[in-house]
Each structure stands twice: as C-alpha cells, then as structure tokens.
C-alpha cells in the first residue's frame, strides 16, 4: 500500500514529507495543491513556513464499550489552506477523528492541536474559543426548521455575541458567496437538499473559521448537486480555509485529486496528496 | 450577552411545553406556600415566647387552712414563705393573692359560665405569685425551695401550660415543613425533568450553538432563566396564596385565642414579610436545580 501511495503521488516536483503515522506511510506535498491554497501561500515556499493548522500526534481513542481503539496511534498534520479527504469504511474512525478535533471527546492518548490550541488540554470554558475557529457541516444539514435561511446563518453569530450591525452586514455576504442571494427569507423546508446544505455551509463559514470540517456533506445529495457543493467547498478552500471532509463518495474523491487520508480500523493506512478513493480503482 | 436573544429563547422554551411549565409552577407554589406556613408558625412561636417571657409566673398555692386563716399574708407561715422567696436573687417580686381576690378573679375569668356560680371563695387557694428575675434557673429554684414546705399545697409553673401551646404550634410547624419538604422534592424533580425536556426539544438549537462555539452562558442561560422564572412565579403564587389564606382561614381560626392575647395575631405584615423571603428561596432552589440538571444530564 505504501508503494502504491508513492506511485500515486509521484507526479510533478514534490517535496517529500514523512509522516509519523507509525506505519511508514508517506505523504508528499505537490506544488499544485500549494497554489490552490490561495493568498497566504507564497509559491515555492519551503515546508515549515506554512503554519500547521491541525496536528494529531499518535492519537489513540478508546471507547469504554469497545476493546478495539476507535483511533489507533494516528498521526496526521494538516497545513493551513489544505483540502483533505478523510476516507474509510464505516467504523474506521472518521467520525471520531472529527469529534476529537471539535473536542466533543478527548483522546485517550496522544496530542491534538488545532491552530495554537492544545485541544485535549483545553479547559472547559475555553472550548467555545476552539469551536469558533472551526466550522462544521453534516450530512443531515442540521438547520433550525423554524428559522429562515438568513435566521439560520445569523443564529451562529448571535449565539457567540456578535453585534447586530455585524450580523446584518455579514449574513448577506456569505449567502451570496454560497449562491443563495435573494433566499434569505425562505424557510429551510422550502429549499432543495443542495440549497439546504449551502445554508449549512454558509452558517459554518460565516464566522470565517480557520478550518471547515465536513462530515459526509454530500451523503444526502444526488451526484450533480454533490458536484455543486464540492465546487462551493473548493471556493471556500481558496479563501485560505482548511477543509477536512469525511466522505464515502468515490467519484468526488477521484475527480478532485486532493490529499487523501484513509483510515481503517482506527489506523491511518494511506496518506497521500492528490489521491483517489480506492487504490487501483 | 444579547438579552433579546435570551429572552426569545426563554419565551419559546416556556411556550413549547406549557403544560409542564404550569405543573412546575403549581408544584413549586404549593411547596413554597407550605414552607411559608411553617415560617409563619415559627414566627408566631417566637413572638408568643417573647410575649409570655416577662408575664409568666410561678404560682405557689397555699394549703386550705393557711388560705382560710390568713387573708393578708401577715401570719408566720405565709410571711415566712414570702420572705424566703423574696430573698432569692432569682426572684424579682412576690405578690400575695388572697382567697377573696382569687375568687374575684375567678368570677371575672369565667363570667357567665356555670362554674362561676358553683365556686365559693373557700374552695380557691390563696397563692403567692412569683415573678422570676431569672427565667432559666428561677423556676426550678422556686420549686425546690417551696416543695414540701409547711403551708404549700402545689406549685404551678405557668410555663407548663404555655408549653402545651408551644407544642401545638411546633407541631403545626413540623407538619408544614414536612409537607413542604415532600412537595419540594416533587418540585425539584419536576424542574429537573422540565429542564431536560426543554433541552431535548431544543437539542438542534443547542447542538448548533455548541458547534459554533457559543459559550456556556449562551447555551445554558435560557434553561436556567426558565427554571428561575418558574421558581419566582411559584413564589409569587405562594405569597398570594398565603395572603388569601390569612384572610380566609387563619384569621377565623385564630380569632378567639388571638383576641384574648393568648397568642399574638398574625398580621398582614407577617405574611408579606414571609412571602418576600419565598422569592429568593424559590428562585435559588429552581436555579440550582436547573444548573445541576444541566451539568449532570444535559450535554450543553
């Protein structure tokens, strides 16, 4: 598998970066992805000048009810502006991965940093600060049914105490960005699935997070709509926002050719830039 | 903190499960009303105690022959007893009540009743009425000094009589406190349950709030305010209930004894002062219950 990964990433002049995932997996960074990362990136910048946004160091997560760890010595680091697919079968640890980043759970062992925050050691009262830097999108949208589109997006700002003036200015901007201009006053149930997911993305992005986590955001959508959502996520990624997306969708992963981190039984079995969903597929 | 946001959330929360809210308010109100009743009983006991404190006497009743023979405590047996009592530092004063005086007082006390007609002066004892300087140890000292002395028939401590009244009031207090406690447990469980239901019905909102990094105040405050509001409304209802009860029942119930000055009357000020205490008590209990529930059961 390691050999395959190397093959898959051997195009263009690359800067090899070894990742201590405990299994000898190799990840290489290609210049193409560096360009995609947007304005903060200086072309040809040496590794290390780009700040690492997410870093997991030998992270193990055991759940009390299971003997097998949900994550097993996982080491991954994600730079600012990267777009990462997190793939793997159900139960491989993708959700746990995302939950740990959000501090919904704490790792049994290992260290997680998001931006400059030591996630596991973060005191309870500072968890909101972490979450304000992370936007999250889910398969089931999780919109508030009794609020308008604009209300849903505004909610995210209201509850972190943003002033009304800022909300009034920012919400239309972000609705335009996600292609929902003019629909601010509609109710979620009046929208198609794709539009609802756009609302969810707008809500996740409205506070300009450092990282956008997407947990199977296209899971409920047809292929065409999924493609539109992917274009939107790419656009958001180009603003410098790091995107980590857990997915099962082969065609999306294959067509995007972005970094792929594959989990299986809680371990990183593949980590390659410009990967595809299944090796040899 | 955006107050309009919190206000809206609280209003929605209370409206959404209005039946639960009503149950919660009523249970809290009943519990607090019982607590208030108990507090009024304590208050009455206290003021009754102070009302009697300086009035209570020890009565040393003299034997039949001494009573009949000595009309002004001038003879050796009576004056000897009187002197002994007056010499004690625990005694403030001693007054002599002759058979005739006792008879006059008896007639006044039981005026219009058949017992007044039956009684004759000879059947009533003359008494030495002892006012104590020291309420604590005086009674026992007098009892010891007088017991078995020539000319002494019985020693009556008025506090024994009043004690029965206190026992009654204390009983009222204990019963109401016990009921208040049971009701309080019911109220606490209801509040806790309502907070959980409330949090459950708003789980999507709360979930979103957590994810976008709302602080605990934002996520929890609406629930806490709901609980506290319930406590306050319950306390207000309890206060209104106590005022109504005062005019409807308590006044009638205590009319007889309060008018005779046996116990001090319960005034509207007593009721209002007690009711005002119920407000912070209700609010605090509801708030703490809500907070503990959120910490224990609800991932907010």
């Amino acid at each position: 598998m390691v050999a395959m990964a190397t093959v898959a990433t051997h195009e263009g002049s690359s800067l090899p970066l070894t990742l201590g995932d405990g299994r000898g997996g190799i990840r290489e960074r290609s210049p193409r992805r560096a360009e995609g990362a947007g304005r903060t990136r200086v072309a040809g910048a040496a590794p290390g000048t780009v700040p690492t946004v997410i870093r997991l160091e030998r992270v193990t997560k055991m759940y009390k009810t299971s003997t097998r760890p949900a994550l097993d010595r996982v080491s991954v680091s994600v730079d600012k502006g990267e777009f990462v697919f997190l793939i793997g079968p159900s139960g491989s640890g993708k959700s746990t991965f995302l939950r740990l980043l959000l501090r919904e759970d704490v790792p049994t062992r290992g260290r997680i940093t998001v931006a400059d925050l030591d996630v596991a050691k973060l005191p309870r009262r500072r968890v909101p600060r972490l979450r304000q830097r992370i936007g999250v999108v889910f398969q089931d949208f999780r919109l508030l049914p009794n609020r308008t589109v604009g209300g849903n997006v505004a909610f995210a700002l209201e509850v972190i105490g943003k002033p009304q003036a800022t909300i009034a200015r920012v919400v239309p901007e972000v609705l335009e960005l996600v292609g929902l201009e003019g629909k601010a006053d509609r109710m979620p149930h009046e929208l198609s699935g794709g539009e609802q997911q756009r609302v969810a993305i707008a809500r996740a992005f409205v506070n300009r997070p450092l990282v956008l986590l997407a947990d199977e955001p296209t899971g409920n959508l047809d292929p065409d709509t999924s493609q539109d959502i992917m274009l939107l996520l790419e656009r958001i990624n180009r603003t410098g926002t790091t995107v980590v997306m857990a997915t099962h969708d082969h065609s999306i992963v294959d067509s995007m050719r972005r970094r792929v981190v594959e989990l299986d039984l809680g371990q990183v079995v593949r980590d390659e830039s410009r990967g595809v969903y299944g090796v040899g597929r | 903190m955006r107050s309009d946001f919190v206000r809206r959330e609280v209003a929605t929360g209370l409206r959404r499960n209005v039946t639960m809210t009503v149950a919660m308010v009523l249970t809290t109100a009943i519990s607090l009303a019982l607590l208030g009743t108990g507090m009024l009983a304590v208050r009455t006991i206290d003021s009754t105690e102070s009302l009697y404190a300086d009035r209570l006497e020890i009565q040393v009743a003299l034997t039949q022959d001494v009573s009949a023979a000595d009309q002004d405590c001038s003879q050796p047996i009576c004056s000897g007893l009187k002197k002994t009592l007056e010499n004690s530092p625990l005694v403030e004063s001693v007054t002599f009540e002759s058979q005739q005086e006792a008879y006059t007082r008896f007639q006044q006390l039981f005026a219009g009743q058949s017992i007044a007609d039956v009684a004759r002066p000879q059947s009533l004892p003359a008494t030495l009425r002892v006012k104590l300087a020291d309420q604590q140890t005086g009674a026992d000292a007098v009892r010891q000094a007088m017991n078995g002395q020539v000319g002494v028939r019985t020693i009556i401590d008025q506090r024994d009589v009043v004690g029965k009244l206190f026992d009654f009031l204390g009983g009222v207090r204990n019963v109401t406190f016990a009921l208040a406690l049971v009701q309080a447990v019911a109220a606490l469980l209801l509040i806790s349950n309502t907070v959980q239901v409330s949090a459950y019905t708003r789980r999507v909102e709360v979930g979103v709030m957590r994810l976008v990094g709302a602080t605990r105040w934002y996520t929890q405050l609406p629930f806490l305010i709901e609980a506290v509001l319930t406590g306050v409304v319950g306390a207000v209802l309890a206060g209104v209930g106590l005022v109504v009860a005062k005019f409807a029942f308590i006044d009638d119930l205590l009319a007889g004894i309060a008018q005779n000055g046996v116990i001090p009357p319960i005034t509207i000020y007593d009721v209002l002062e007690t009711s005002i205490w119920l407000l912070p008590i209700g609010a605090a209990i509801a708030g703490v219950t809500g907070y503990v529930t959120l910490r224990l059961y609800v991932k907010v």
Side-chain angles (χ1 to χ4, degrees), chain A residues 99 102 104 124 128 131-132 134 136 138 142-144 146-147 155-156 158-162 164 203, chain B residues 2 4-5 8-9 12 16 204-205 208-216 218 220 295 299-300:
Chain A
R99 285 172 58 80
L102 283 165
E104 295 265 14
R124 213 180 134 97
R131 292 183 182 158
Q132 285 181 19
I134 303 177
V136 201
F138 299 96
R142 301 200 189 169
L143 300 177
L144 307 181
N146 53 352
R147 280 175 171 255
F155 185 78
E158 282 173 14
V159 299
I160 57 171
K162 294 283 183 202
Q164 196 64 55
R203 181 178 65 191
Chain B
R2 293 159 46 87
D4 55 332
F5 169 78
R8 209 169 50 224
E9 288 291 302
T12 324
R16 260 193 210 165
V204 182
E205 275 97 333
V208 171
M209 283 162 97
R210 294 180 57 230
L211 283 177
V212 300
T215 56
R216 277 227 316 278
Y218 265 96
Q220 298 194 348
R295 287 308 284 264
K299 200 175 174 190
V300 182

